[in-house]
Amino acid sequence: MRQSEKTAARSNKGMVTTPHHTASEAGAKVLRRGGTAIEAVIAAGAALTVLYPHFCGLGGDAIWIVADGSGRRQTIMGIGQAAEHLPALDAISQRGPLSALTTAALVDSWGEVLRYSSENWQGTESLPTLLADAIELAAQGFPVSRSQKHWHAFRAAEISKWPGFENHFVTEGIQRQPQLASVLERIALYGHREFYEGELAQRIANALETAGSPIRLGDLQKTAAQMVEPISMIYRGIELLAPPPPSQGVTTLGIMGVLSHFDMANVDPSSAEFYHLCVEAVKQAFLDRGQIADPDFVAQHCAELLDTLNLSSKAAEIDRENALAWPSPYQHGDTVYLSAVDKEGRCASVLQSTYYDWGSGVLLGDTGIVWQNRGAAFSADPMSPNVLAPGKRPFYTLNPGIGLRDGKPHLLYGTQGADGQPQTLTLLLSRLIDHGFDPLSALSAPRFLLGRTFSDTRDNLKIEASVGDEVIETLHAMGHETIAIPALSALAGQAGVIRLNGDGWMDGAHDPRSDGCAIGI
């Protein structure tokens, strides 16, 4: 699907949105046969582990937020923990086996949310049925996506050094993954814990050890997704739900809390003033981001960070005419956002990821699994709250969201992009809530990315050229080191939105920067 072909979806019976149209269809099939939103997202997410191997996979993690009209809301933190026996490291590797320091909890999150669906939403689907499309895609093959082709070409020099990658992944034509199909079949047959405790777990552990990772079978056996309460904040009457630490969800809420002190509805969303206020709010919230860490190891103080006095003081620090220096080091990462609403209005908003594009670059033996490099998000500084430790979960960029209006789901949103996630969500939420944009219009509008990236080590403000020369020049005059990037740039992330309008109808879309779409039932 070309960018110019992107359309919005509208329905009163259910909807799913993902960054790949085939994955969206896998989820839509579940909704059509009466499945729940959770079941639809499992099917779509499993398909994405095959269709988008550069951004997510069985060797990665997932964070879920689920909510329904009865007031139930839950976060499922499918985050793997660091190995129990870690090597002495003076620095954390960004790629390779010594970046594969944490286990992978995506598959366990499937088991947790499927149980939740059965117990709370009367779900009846099973893993064999929900994984069927992913298994067929892996076995029979599929055309390489535009996104996979881009990131394969971008990393060509590195991929040539990663054992097995060049023979396993293709740059164009039909991509087949028969080994991955066999792994998915085994999970479907024996259940999600086969990945952690069964014969498959032993194969995975052996392959990790052979590759040079410290992860062992005992670490896999201890891996478990956690079900916790989301954190929240009210913005213009909408209650925004976010995952708690170690996720940076509190940062996204903090940005919106800072913006709440400005009359954003009366600021032209295409103006330099709009972008300046959003950028400066991001900077203020990022000042606190270094405190985020695993709450099992370091006490977290989300209530203090989101306190009205704290946020108002940050808003007061914003100079409406001049830019503050960027305060934060860059965190890289790629993931996929997907969400669904079923016919009962029950919602699932999810991000799944292997962290960097292509994860650690470690392909596990004959499994077809690419393991994540989420260990690269730890710090080697013993004074850091995020210092690497056995059994610890790292600082986490994934933060999908749900917005509630009068206690019922109104907005589902999330994006790919590590440091860029809170930045993109800031623009989306202000456009959706303050300015009444529809989902596709909000997703299509120009974005910025503040800070360093893998392709530019300067702390500058990268902004899509479609904002216009006048906006870029005005921002530059205000002190922003502006760099124009192409419209609908891959650097600007891939986001998705579904909006429930309160009259029984919903509309949604996926990013024109992605290969995906929303499908209404």
Side-chain angles (χ1 to χ4, degrees), residues 380-442:
D381 179 359
M383 302 305 293
S384 170
N386 192 43
V387 66
L388 175 65
K392 189 175 183 180
R393 296 171 298 165
F395 165 81
Y396 229 78
T397 54
L398 304 190
N399 68 125
I402 292 179
L404 307 178
R405 185 168 62 188
D406 300 325
K408 296 181 179 181
H410 171 53
L411 292 170
L412 286 73
Y413 51 88
T415 184
Q416 166 255 349
D419 277 1
Q421 287 190 30
Q423 302 182 41
T424 293
L425 295 183
T426 300
L427 293 170
L428 288 177
L429 288 170
S430 185
R431 286 165 175 155
L432 289 162
I433 298 171
D434 293 317
H435 298 283
F437 280 35
D438 64 82
L440 183 58
S441 297

Side-chain angles (χ1 to χ4, degrees), residues 259-302:
L259 282 185
S260 70
H261 290 83
F262 297 90
D263 186 10
M264 297 300 291
N266 286 318
V267 177
D268 180 354
S270 64
S271 68
E273 181 185 13
F274 175 78
Y275 289 102
H276 174 72
L277 288 174
C278 289
V279 168
E280 296 305 298
V282 167
K283 290 176 182 177
Q284 289 296 324
F286 269 54
L287 289 170
D288 296 330
R289 203 174 64 141
Q291 303 175 35
I292 299 172
D294 187 341
D296 292 340
F297 286 73
V298 181
Q300 298 293 288
H301 306 286
C302 293

Side-chain angles (χ1 to χ4, degrees), residues 217-502:
L217 180 61
D219 298 311
L220 295 178
Q221 292 169 339
K222 294 173 185 175
T223 302
Q226 296 183 5
M227 197 165 288
V228 296
E229 289 291 318
I231 56 176
S232 68
M233 191 195 67
I234 305 296
Y235 182 79
R236 320 290 190 205
I238 305 297
E239 184 180 9
L240 304 178
L241 305 182
S247 162
Q248 65 175 340
V250 67
T251 302
T252 297
L253 297 184
I255 298 169
M256 302 312 296
V258 172
L259 282 185
S260 70
H261 290 83
F262 297 90
D263 186 10
M264 297 300 291
N266 286 318
V267 177
D268 180 354
S270 64
S271 68
E273 181 185 13
F274 175 78
Y275 289 102
H276 174 72
L277 288 174
C278 289
V279 168
E280 296 305 298
V282 167
K283 290 176 182 177
Q284 289 296 324
F286 269 54
L287 289 170
D288 296 330
R289 203 174 64 141
Q291 303 175 35
I292 299 172
D294 187 341
D296 292 340
F297 286 73
V298 181
Q300 298 293 288
H301 306 286
C302 293
E304 294 178 16
L305 294 178
L306 299 178
D307 180 75
T308 300
L309 288 177
N310 181 53
L311 296 174
S312 63
S313 67
K314 289 181 176 297
E317 291 295 317
I318 292 177
D319 185 331
R320 298 189 74 142
E321 303 295 331
N322 296 288
L324 178 75
W326 174 235
S328 181
Y330 173 70
Q331 295 276 345
H332 173 52
D334 286 297
T335 129
V336 295
Y337 175 72
L338 60 161
S339 60
V341 180
D342 61 34
K343 63 182 179 180
E344 303 296 334
R346 301 169 301 205
C347 301
S349 181
V350 184
L351 281 161
Q352 57 187 49
S353 172
T354 47
Y355 199 30
Y356 286 20
D357 54 282
W358 303 108
S360 64
V362 174
L363 184 64
L364 298 185
D366 63 352
T367 67
I369 298 172
V370 177
W371 208 258
Q372 65 183 353
N373 63 329
R374 189 57 69 168
F378 279 117
S379 173
D381 179 359
M383 302 305 293
S384 170
N386 192 43
V387 66
L388 175 65
K392 189 175 183 180
R393 296 171 298 165
F395 165 81
Y396 229 78
T397 54
L398 304 190
N399 68 125
I402 292 179
L404 307 178
R405 185 168 62 188
D406 300 325
K408 296 181 179 181
H410 171 53
L411 292 170
L412 286 73
Y413 51 88
T415 184
Q416 166 255 349
D419 277 1
Q421 287 190 30
Q423 302 182 41
T424 293
L425 295 183
T426 300
L427 293 170
L428 288 177
L429 288 170
S430 185
R431 286 165 175 155
L432 289 162
I433 298 171
D434 293 317
H435 298 283
F437 280 35
D438 64 82
L440 183 58
S441 297
L443 291 165
S444 302
R447 296 188 197 145
F448 62 77
L449 178 62
L450 184 60
R452 305 173 192 175
T453 68
F454 47 78
S455 59
D456 189 339
T457 59
R458 294 169 293 174
D459 285 323
N460 53 29
L461 177 64
K462 299 159 186 67
I463 191 163
E464 290 183 320
S466 48
V467 298
D469 293 341
E470 182 179 349
V471 169
I472 292 175
E473 290 167 6
T474 301
L475 289 170
H476 185 76
M478 298 170 89
H480 298 280
E481 185 184 348
T482 51
I483 301 293
I485 59 176
L488 302 178
S489 169
L491 290 178
Q494 297 181 3
V497 174
I498 297 177
R499 179 178 63 184
L500 292 84
N501 298 308

